[in-house]
Amino acid sequence: MPYPPLRDPGRPLFFKSRRRPWLGGVLLVLVAAAAATAWLVDFPGQSPDPVLVGPPHPLAMAPPLAPEQFDPSGNLFERTAEDPSEETLTDRVRAGQTLGGILASHLSPDRLAALSHPEDFSFTDLRTGQAYRLTLRDRELVTFEYDISSTEMLVIDETDGELAARVESRQCEVRPTVVAATVESSLFAAVTGAGGNASMAAALADIFASDLDFSRDVQPGDSFRAVVEKRYVEGREAGFGRVLAARYVSAERTLEGFGLLGDKGRLEYYDAEGRPLRKAFLRAPLSFLRVTSGYTASRLHPILKVRKPHFGVDYAAPTGTPVWTVGDGVVIERGRNHAAGNYVTVRHGKTYVTRYNHLSRFAKGIATGTRVVQGQVIGYVGSTGYATGPHLDFRMYENGRPVNALANTEMQADPLPRARMAEFREDVLTLAAVLSGHKPPTALALRPGTDNRLQ
């Protein structure tokens, strides 16, 4: 079907339209209406509410601004404490986790590499299970806080525009308290059962180490009382500090030890008469099960099957049991031979030398020339050399001659200087009263400039 033509072909393209006389009137009415609208806008109080036509403007329904927001006095971009972009995350150090691993997502590698250890803490000392806090702003580090202990905290933040690390000490209040118990199985169990901890048990054992071998001399029914510093941080208990005095009572004897601050800033312990409890040598170089062979001029050698002198003491103990030096000295030998196996020899001044044989391995850092202190671990029990089982062959020499170590337990360390006896006796009177049941005075724990860690 053909489309109709767009126009009449018989009609010219341009033509003159017909006149419409009513069109002028319509235009005149529209102009008058526009003039009236303009007059109403100039005088809104005299007009009715306007009628909105179409959708509202997006801002038309917005709530009005408060005056302080409409006319802010500060910087619009200044962050406040309530800034939602700043957050604090709390976690604990996981096994094998390092400081770099914790901070890698929030610090650039170059800033992390430039971070220096503080003077009194190494980043490698982070311990598994210790709590830390990360304060972040837009996922970038603001502050890192790690709890070194209940009283110390590692802090990493910007100081003078540079990232820096430091150790901060929390304010710590120290009060003396008494811990007492009766031994049923072991000193450790008695101490922990009375509310103490492993460090306190070790400190008590150390005080009487020259007079008691806590691996075999402690018996059920023995008792102890100790005056111990208790620490508080922000009103909360934060562990124990120094043992100021202790009394140990067995069926055979009563031992007492009273602490006095020494020249090196640590407590040293004396009996009530000012005699040092710390002898020149400890009674034993390890915690052993039994003495399997003593000092003798003639013994049937268990391997060689010949009789020969045994100028030492054999202590039976499991492989890996720590072996410590019985006195201060210098390592003069660390070696191995077919008879003694792994051995360490320590010289104590000009007179005495001690020897430790059949070690399974040496303690870290022990080498010829190493200076060691009484009680320091130098190796571990083994069965190297001529040995039928794990044990320590311990020997002592006086001016080059072998002596019976079991007969040298009464050698004393240096006595308390006469100039300090008056100060010491005053402390003893107070501490002895506390050990006997009197309430401890607060002043006991407030000696300035002292080290409050367990000794």
Side-chain angles (χ1 to χ4, degrees):
M1 177 177 178
Y3 290 100
L6 296 177
R7 61 181 178 82
D8 186 359
R11 188 177 179 179
L13 185 62
F14 300 101
F15 61 94
K16 187 174 181 181
S17 60
R18 286 181 258 177
R19 293 184 178 274
R20 295 181 172 84
W22 51 269
L23 185 60
V26 171
L27 291 176
L28 188 60
V29 170
L30 290 175
V31 171
T37 301
W39 181 84
L40 290 174
V41 170
D42 288 339
F43 301 96
Q46 302 179 17
S47 65
D49 292 339
V51 178
L52 298 179
V53 179
H57 189 276
L59 296 180
M61 305 301 293
L65 292 175
E68 61 271 15
Q69 291 177 302
F70 183 76
D71 186 19
S73 58
N75 185 349
L76 285 174
F77 299 98
E78 183 179 2
R79 298 184 183 274
T80 66
E82 293 77 22
D83 189 345
S85 66
E86 187 171 294
E87 59 179 342
T88 299
L89 307 178
T90 301
D91 205 344
R92 294 185 179 274
V93 178
R94 299 180 177 87
Q97 197 171 31
T98 64
L99 181 66
I102 295 173
L103 301 181
S105 301
H106 313 292
L107 281 179
S108 61
D110 56 334
R111 296 192 75 194
L112 193 57
L115 188 61
S116 300
H117 298 257
E119 183 177 350
D120 42 5
F121 184 79
S122 172
F123 297 149
T124 59
D125 291 338
L126 262 65
R127 291 182 293 147
T128 301
Q130 286 296 97
Y132 68 84
R133 292 160 297 283
L134 278 170
T135 300
L136 307 174
R137 182 180 295 149
D138 297 332
R139 298 193 59 80
E140 291 188 359
L141 180 69
V142 176
T143 305
F144 172 77
E145 297 175 340
Y146 165 80
D147 293 334
I148 299 173
S149 67
S150 57
T151 58
E152 289 187 318
M153 177 174 61
L154 171 68
V155 179
I156 299 175
D157 58 10
E158 284 197 3
T159 302
D160 297 329
E162 294 186 2
L163 198 67
R166 65 185 182 279
V167 173
E168 291 185 355
S169 296
R170 295 186 175 100
Q171 186 65 33
C172 181
E173 180 187 359
V174 182
R175 309 172 197 164
T177 188
V178 175
V179 177
T182 298
V183 176
E184 296 181 1
S185 58
S186 68
L187 178 66
F188 174 82
V191 171
T192 54
N197 53 26
S199 296
M200 185 188 300
L204 286 171
D206 184 61
I207 291 172
F208 301 115
S210 294
D211 296 297
L212 278 176
D213 179 357
F214 282 89
S215 65
R216 64 173 186 171
D217 292 344
V218 173
Q219 301 295 325
D222 292 356
S223 63
F224 74 88
R225 289 179 66 87
V227 183
V228 185
E229 292 178 331
K230 198 166 190 178
R231 297 175 296 188
Y232 296 81
V233 174
E234 298 175 353
R236 298 189 300 271
E237 293 184 8
F240 295 97
R242 305 171 301 176
V243 176
L244 301 177
R247 176 184 293 159
Y248 191 89
V249 180
S250 67
E252 300 178 352
R253 55 182 171 167
T254 297
L255 299 173
E256 289 183 332
F258 302 93
L260 182 66
L261 198 64
D263 295 336
K264 296 182 180 180
R266 294 174 62 88
L267 285 181
E268 297 174 357
Y269 296 91
Y270 301 83
D271 65 15
E273 302 302 320
R275 293 186 295 262
L277 297 185
R278 181 178 178 270
K279 310 297 192 298
F281 297 102
L282 299 178
R283 289 197 64 190
L286 76 169
S287 295
F288 59 94
L289 299 177
R290 63 188 182 279
V291 175
T292 57
S293 181
Y295 183 95
T296 178
S298 179
R299 182 193 69 158
L300 181 64
H301 196 283
I303 294 178
L304 302 178
K305 302 303 181 183
V306 297
R307 301 198 73 83
K308 57 185 302 184
H310 182 252
F311 296 137
V313 180
D314 286 350
Y315 296 96
T319 298
T321 300
V323 174
W324 51 75
T325 175
V326 294
D328 296 350
V330 177
V331 175
I332 58 175
E333 290 180 312
R334 173 192 140 154
R336 180 185 178 93
N337 62 38
H338 64 284
N342 295 325
Y343 66 89
V344 173
T345 306
V346 179
R347 175 174 291 282
H348 310 274
K350 297 180 179 180
T351 305
Y352 289 95
V353 170
T354 55
R355 179 81 173 268
Y356 310 79
N357 296 328
H358 307 308
L359 302 174
S360 61
R361 59 189 177 94
F362 305 104
K364 184 178 179 180
I366 297 299
T368 300
T370 302
R371 186 169 295 278
V372 293
V373 297
Q374 189 178 73
Q376 179 177 338
V377 175
I378 58 175
Y380 301 87
V381 168
S383 54
T384 57
Y386 289 164
T388 57
H391 73 284
L392 174 71
D393 176 12
F394 174 68
R395 305 192 176 210
M396 177 177 282
Y397 302 87
E398 182 181 3
N399 293 321
R401 299 190 310 273
V403 296
N404 186 354
L406 295 179
N408 282 268
T409 58
E410 297 302 322
M411 291 180 293
Q412 298 285 330
D414 295 333
L416 185 66
R418 185 181 298 272
R420 302 201 65 187
M421 281 299 295
E423 172 192 356
F424 175 72
R425 290 188 186 281
E426 182 180 346
D427 287 345
V428 166
L429 289 174
T430 303
L431 291 167
V434 175
L435 289 175
S436 297
H438 293 275
K439 184 178 179 180
T442 305
L444 276 176
L446 301 179
R447 299 173 187 174
T450 58
D451 184 352
N452 287 325
R453 293 171 295 182
L454 276 168
Q455 303 296 301

